[in-house]
Amino acid sequence: MATQADTGNTADVAAEARTADVADTRATSGATELSDPSEPSRPSGPSGPSGIWRRGRVLATAALLLGLLLLLHGSIPNRIGNVGSLVETFLPWCGLFVPLLLAGALLRRSATAVIALLLPVVAWLNLFGGLLTDKSRPGGDLTVVSHNVGAENPDPVGTARALAGSGADVLALEELAAEARGTYEKELAKVYPHHTVQGTVGLWSRFPLSDTRPVDVAMDAGPLGDAKPAEVKMAYNRGMRTTVATDRGPLAVYVAHLGSVRVNPRAGLSSGQRDGGAQSLGQAVAAEKNERVVLLGDLNGTLDDRAYEGLTSRMESAQETAGAGFGFSWPATFPVVRIDQILVRGVEPESAWVLPATGSDHLPVAARISW
């Protein structure tokens, strides 16, 4: 009897042990299933799906600020250092920040920064996208060319011959040095039978000229300027107006070389003389009775600058209307800005382009217009 009892107890102990092993195995299996490395993880930290929205906040802020600059550049005040005009002068180049910010956004894998970049991209394309296409058309009745030949031009003969071969019907020259004037008159006379020089600006034409007079571009504003004799002022005069008797009728042509601007680290953009000249020139154009007007010259600024509102509100740019690209004209060695302009009123620009370099630090600009 004792032997049978012992045997029963032993069987019960073995059964309990097997039950415990099964429980342990299930527990271990469950733990293994919970920690199975093959199970996809769902991290919520910076490297997870939600991290692409939290990363790159600095880049996103920079993109938004760039977009606001492009949209609201006209609201930047000029009271201190003419900062507004300085920004507007180089406004197209703000687009270079877009690929830089995009590269940073991709490196950071920031969806927020990429989306924020849409603002400056749309703003830049709205301002300058039209300049990226070729808007020129065939035809035209008259070709006009403007060139700041440079007072220190080492090769006025070569410059004059290049301009004579440009195909221009009407040719405006600015910054004519007194010692080089005779050279230009001699070389250009072979192509242009009619010309006039008013101080440091002149016009050569295949057609007769009349009603020629200097135009005040505010180079001598104030009491001291008023006290100077007319012949003294004429020596450095920078503006003129004449009527060209074209085959299609009279055309009023203005030639101007506005005052230079200077960028000073302390004072900012110094442009008072230029701005005064732009205002005076705008008033002269507004008072012009001839409905067909062309303005040729070195305006020492881009038309995005608010200083030219008196002109741009009455005239259109040949380059913007019928050119291809930005038409940068200065400096000639590596042009980064267009300060040499052709503006029209009452005629239609058909094409506009930049001519090859001469001995000047400016590039010549050209346009073909029609009635």
Side-chain angles (χ1 to χ4, degrees):
M1 293 294 295
T3 302
Q4 291 179 353
D6 292 341
T7 302
N9 291 338
T10 302
D12 292 339
V13 171
E16 291 175 0
R18 284 194 300 272
T19 301
D21 290 342
V22 170
D24 290 341
T25 301
R26 289 177 177 174
T28 304
S29 176
T32 302
E33 291 176 0
L34 291 174
S35 60
D36 186 355
S38 64
E39 181 74 20
S41 59
R42 298 177 182 177
S44 58
S47 60
S50 61
I52 65 173
W53 299 103
R54 293 201 298 269
R55 289 193 300 268
R57 291 177 179 176
V58 173
L59 291 169
T61 301
L64 293 175
L65 290 175
L66 177 60
L68 292 175
L69 175 69
L70 290 167
L71 289 173
L72 306 175
H73 62 88
S75 301
I76 302 175
N78 257 349
R79 290 190 297 272
I80 302 176
N82 287 320
V83 175
S85 289
L86 182 61
V87 169
E88 288 167 340
T89 297
F90 298 100
L91 199 61
W93 292 99
C94 290
L96 291 179
F97 290 105
V98 170
L100 295 177
L101 290 171
L102 177 60
L106 294 177
L107 287 174
R108 291 283 293 147
R109 298 181 181 179
S110 171
T112 302
V114 171
I115 292 175
L117 274 171
L118 291 175
L119 178 62
V121 168
V122 172
W124 191 92
L125 289 175
N126 180 60
L127 289 171
F128 306 111
L131 296 174
L132 301 179
T133 60
D134 185 355
K135 298 171 290 300
S136 62
R137 300 179 294 271
D141 301 310
L142 194 75
T143 299
V144 296
V145 169
S146 177
H147 189 29
N148 180 325
V149 294
E152 299 180 358
N153 190 326
D155 185 21
V157 172
T159 299
R161 291 176 177 174
L163 294 171
S166 66
D169 299 304
V170 175
L171 170 66
L173 301 186
E174 304 89 47
E175 207 169 296
L176 278 168
E179 59 272 18
R181 173 175 171 175
T183 300
Y184 288 104
E185 289 177 328
K186 176 183 176 181
E187 295 295 331
L188 295 174
K190 303 171 185 177
V191 178
Y192 304 102
H194 310 279
H195 89 279
T196 178
V197 175
Q198 303 288 313
T200 65
V201 294
L203 190 79
W204 277 256
S205 172
R206 299 181 191 271
F207 307 99
L209 306 176
S210 63
D211 194 16
T212 301
R213 60 181 182 268
V215 172
D216 180 24
V217 291
M219 296 303 295
D220 267 324
L224 292 178
D226 295 339
K228 292 182 180 180
E231 60 271 18
V232 173
K233 291 184 178 182
M234 179 57 69
Y236 54 85
N237 174 66
R238 288 187 172 205
M240 61 161 285
R241 179 252 184 239
T242 191
T243 299
V244 180
T246 74
D247 294 337
R248 300 297 302 273
L251 176 70
V253 178
Y254 286 77
V255 182
H257 181 197
L258 299 186
S260 300
V261 298
R262 298 287 184 270
V263 179
N264 187 296
R266 293 184 179 180
L269 183 70
S270 176
S271 62
Q273 194 175 58
R274 182 209 65 180
D275 296 348
Q279 184 177 6
S280 296
L281 191 57
Q283 292 170 352
V285 170
E288 175 60 52
K289 296 181 180 179
N290 195 323
E291 65 179 45
R292 297 183 179 91
V293 184
V294 172
L295 168 60
L296 307 167
D298 173 8
L299 302 189
N300 266 314
T302 70
L303 298 182
D304 297 307
D305 193 327
R306 68 197 70 179
Y308 301 101
E309 288 179 357
L311 291 169
T312 56
S313 63
R314 299 180 175 93
M315 310 183 79
E316 62 178 339
S317 165
Q319 180 66 31
E320 293 181 2
T321 304
F326 290 93
F328 293 148
S329 63
W330 184 87
T333 52
F334 188 79
V336 298
V337 67
R338 183 181 177 91
I339 61 176
D340 301 276
Q341 310 291 349
I342 299 177
L343 302 179
V344 301
R345 185 187 79 186
V347 293
E348 188 70 24
E350 301 293 350
S351 56
W353 63 97
V354 177
L355 293 169
T358 66
S360 171
D361 59 338
H362 292 246
L363 294 177
V365 295
R368 190 151 179 82
I369 61 175
S370 63
W371 266 241

